[in-house]
Amino acid sequence: MMNVGLIGVGLVGKELLSQIGRLNGVQVVGAMNSKRMILRSGVSAAEIEKLLSQLDQTQAADLQGFVGQFASSYTEGVKVLVDCTSDERVASCYPEWLKQGFHVVTPNKKAFSGNLSLYKEILAASQKYNRFCYHESTVGAGLPVVETLKSLVQTGDKIVKVEGIFSGTLSYLFNNFSSTSPKEKVSFSDIVKVAKEKGFTEPDPRDDLNGLDVARKVTILGRIAGLDISLETLDIENIVPEQLRSLGTASEFMSHLPEFDSHFDQLNSEAASQNQVLRYVGMIGGDGTGSVKLTRYSAEHPFASLTGSDNIVAFTTERFPSPLIIQGAGAGSSVTVFGILSDLLKIQERA
């Protein structure tokens, strides 16, 4: 039996609780959010989510206490901690959890794109204590991006370049703004407004447009490829107009963004005149050079034909000089949970 403890019950955590019952031999024995926690066997995942809202049925949240109780209460079977937060403090605990005998599964990018020493500590602890730390959902949600790159590296292929559209938000924005297909012209600010209203962007769209999320994903892939890179070593283009970066609120940003539509229109017109489109792309080369920026691609390029909010990743290697391409939905809680469940199944098979 695999016993799972869930940390973080937001959109992804709740979706995991709703889907995890589909796996045979897996039970959620505990969960915690920012306020409450519960450890209880024989309770369904759906009941655990409900119990977290009942103060008399749960304890005040205490991360160390939660993990300690889990370790002492469940000495048999496979033990997995699933971190569905984006908390750097939680991510810093992974080496200790691995030492305590837990496997770790997470969509939290902080451990794998933050401090390089923490990343190396996680790898060392995983190997030393024979425990898995899987994070497929940190790049491309449920797309098999991380596993594919690991397989390429482990089988001895030489990575020449990995590039892709890694943000569902930025994919949606530029697929709608910059296209070779004739359609009604829409301003960049209007597209951002629609995306925000649909919930495609962060509450403050600048958190998408600054490129940091894409940079984290590029850093993760670079490290899997064996490169000692960090956010600081990447060339990151923040496409938020400089005058709007220091505004205090998202509302202020949105109200002033139309003033810069001409800037984006000019970039788009210049690309269209060369039969090209604009795409916001992250790239890491086998030599360690990396960038995250708004780039032009010809109309015939696979990145140009992307639709909706899909992600696409192209692996150029010694074996695959014509790039190996993975494409599909790269955002949303349901596909993110697919990646988490896939990681849990891998542990179930291998532990």
Side-chain angles (χ1 to χ4, degrees):
M1 175 64 70
M2 176 183 287
N3 298 311
V4 174
L6 172 63
I7 299 165
V9 193
L11 285 175
V12 173
K14 289 178 180 177
E15 183 66 25
L16 176 62
L17 288 174
S18 73
Q19 289 194 37
I20 199 167
R22 302 172 187 176
L23 302 187
N24 293 324
V26 178
Q27 63 174 349
V28 178
V29 298
M32 67 174 290
N33 56 26
S34 60
K35 297 180 180 179
R36 312 300 300 177
M37 69 182 194
I38 182 171
L39 272 164
R40 186 175 300 179
S41 62
V43 179
S44 72
E47 289 174 305
I48 282 180
E49 182 185 350
K50 181 179 178 181
L51 288 171
L52 277 175
S53 65
Q54 300 175 359
L55 299 183
D56 58 336
Q57 297 289 317
T58 58
Q59 301 172 262
D62 171 13
L63 181 60
Q64 187 174 351
F66 179 79
V67 175
Q69 288 182 44
F70 190 177
S72 60
S73 300
Y74 296 90
T75 55
E76 301 295 327
V78 178
K79 296 180 293 184
V80 184
L81 285 165
V82 178
D83 172 21
C84 283
T85 75
S86 58
D87 192 321
E88 194 165 358
R89 179 180 64 92
V90 176
S92 69
C93 298
Y94 296 175
E96 180 60 28
W97 294 349
L98 295 166
K99 181 180 179 180
Q100 290 178 261
F102 291 100
H103 302 281
V104 177
V105 172
T106 183
N108 186 346
K109 294 182 281 290
K110 299 294 175 61
F112 312 99
S113 63
N115 192 296
L116 183 60
S117 62
L118 172 61
Y119 176 76
K120 292 188 173 183
E121 193 178 349
I122 291 169
L123 294 184
S126 178
Q127 184 174 24
K128 181 176 180 180
Y129 301 108
N130 194 28
R131 291 295 181 268
F132 300 114
C133 184
Y134 289 148
H135 57 101
E136 184 63 71
S137 294
T138 56
V139 183
L143 298 178
V145 176
V146 169
E147 186 69 16
T148 298
L149 181 57
K150 283 184 177 180
S151 295
L152 290 169
V153 172
Q154 290 168 357
T155 56
D157 202 354
K158 180 181 178 181
I159 305 300
V160 177
K161 179 173 64 173
V162 180
E163 62 181 336
I165 296 172
F166 297 105
S167 164
T169 302
L170 290 164
S171 178
Y172 175 86
L173 294 179
F174 286 103
N175 291 343
N176 283 278
F177 179 65
S178 184
S179 170
T180 56
S181 303
K183 60 173 138 180
E184 183 181 350
K185 187 176 180 181
V186 183
S187 69
F188 186 72
S189 62
D190 280 342
I191 293 173
V192 175
K193 180 182 178 182
V194 170
K196 188 175 188 301
E197 290 171 349
K198 289 185 175 182
F200 291 170
T201 73
E202 294 292 332
D204 188 335
R206 288 175 292 185
D207 292 335
D208 297 295
L209 299 173
N210 65 14
L212 184 57
D213 179 65
V214 176
R216 286 192 179 280
K217 295 169 184 176
V218 171
T219 299
I220 291 169
L221 296 180
R223 289 176 176 179
I224 292 172
L227 305 169
D228 286 348
I229 67 168
S230 66
L231 297 175
E232 292 72 29
T233 63
L234 295 178
D235 179 13
I236 305 172
E237 180 181 2
N238 182 348
I239 61 173
V240 177
E242 192 168 351
Q243 298 93 319
L244 305 185
R245 295 175 191 175
S246 59
L247 294 179
T249 67
S251 296
E252 288 180 277
F253 165 72
M254 292 301 297
S255 67
H256 287 284
L257 185 58
E259 299 168 16
F260 296 86
D261 279 336
S262 60
H263 162 70
F264 290 101
D265 283 341
Q266 182 178 349
L267 294 176
N268 199 19
S269 296
E270 290 172 354
S273 68
Q274 302 295 318
N275 197 31
Q276 296 174 327
V277 297
L278 299 173
R279 296 292 182 264
Y280 195 82
V281 172
M283 186 280 296
I284 187 71
D287 58 357
T289 57
S291 65
V292 175
K293 58 179 58 178
L294 192 60
T295 308
R296 295 182 187 180
Y297 286 89
S298 70
E300 293 76 30
H301 194 281
F303 290 5
S305 59
L306 208 61
T307 60
S309 58
D310 280 3
N311 282 191
I312 185 168
V313 186
F315 300 93
T316 305
T317 73
E318 193 172 71
R319 292 192 191 121
F320 293 94
S322 179
L324 167 62
I325 292 178
I326 297 174
Q327 177 180 342
S333 57
S334 61
V335 290
T336 299
V337 167
F338 165 73
I340 294 170
L341 295 177
S342 296
D343 283 343
L344 288 173
L345 285 174
K346 283 186 284 188
I347 291 174
Q348 192 177 45
E349 292 169 356
R350 300 170 185 177

